[in-house]
Amino acid sequence: QVQLAESGGGSVEPGRSLRLSCTGSPYRSSSHCLAWFRRAPGKEREAVATLDSRGTANYADSVKGRFTISKDNAKNILYLQMNDLKPEDTAIYTCAAEGWLPPCPPLGQLGLTPRTDFGYWGRGTQVTVSS
């Protein structure tokens, strides 16, 4: 079974940057939607950003302007560049993939129905932001 794999998490001080990577997506040139989610302690899973196969990205309001989702098509690696990190960004970050035609569903609808839930997930990487 396909298993995505995240890397790049760690512990940083507020204001610093991290770049997360996600490998193993079964979708290279075909239609797809890729995403980053996070789950903070005691909170529900939150969709952070999505990227469809046309290159259109969408972000949660809480990370807009600070995070950038991108993909290296040659290497088939999904990234999440996180700048100006804040303590409230502390969470386990997980990548996901599904073969939907673009555009990706709105972030607020992801996971609400079987048709908006991803079939491929990673196990997550911890990001901790503290001084």
Side-chain angles (χ1 to χ4, degrees):
Q1 185 172 350
V2 174
Q3 177 77 56
L4 308 185
E6 304 91 345
S7 62
S11 296
V12 296
E13 294 180 343
R16 307 288 262 186
S17 299
L18 281 174
R19 188 178 75 163
L20 306 182
S21 299
C22 172
T23 59
S25 169
Y27 305 107
R28 287 182 172 264
S29 59
S30 59
S31 296
H32 58 262
C33 177
L34 306 175
W36 287 98
F37 289 81
R38 68 184 181 186
R39 186 189 296 272
K43 295 187 177 181
E44 293 187 355
R45 187 182 68 189
E46 174 189 19
V48 174
T50 59
L51 181 68
D52 68 27
S53 47
R54 292 178 180 171
T56 300
N58 287 287
Y59 300 92
D61 288 342
S62 57
V63 306
K64 203 170 291 183
R66 300 188 298 122
F67 290 12
T68 302
I69 186 171
S70 63
K71 182 185 177 189
D72 184 324
N73 290 315
K75 298 180 179 178
N76 196 27
I77 299 176
L78 178 69
Y79 297 105
L80 185 67
Q81 178 68 42
M82 305 185 295
N83 298 329
D84 189 25
L85 282 162
K86 303 177 180 181
E88 51 264 41
D89 294 320
T90 295
I92 296 174
Y93 285 74
T94 306
C95 60
E98 187 52 69
W100 294 318
L101 292 173
C104 293
L107 270 71
Q109 295 184 11
L110 293 175
L112 294 183
T113 70
R115 295 189 64 180
T116 61
D117 204 3
F118 289 85
Y120 300 98
W121 293 88
R123 294 181 177 178
T125 185
Q126 177 70 47
V127 172
T128 302
V129 185
S130 69
S131 54

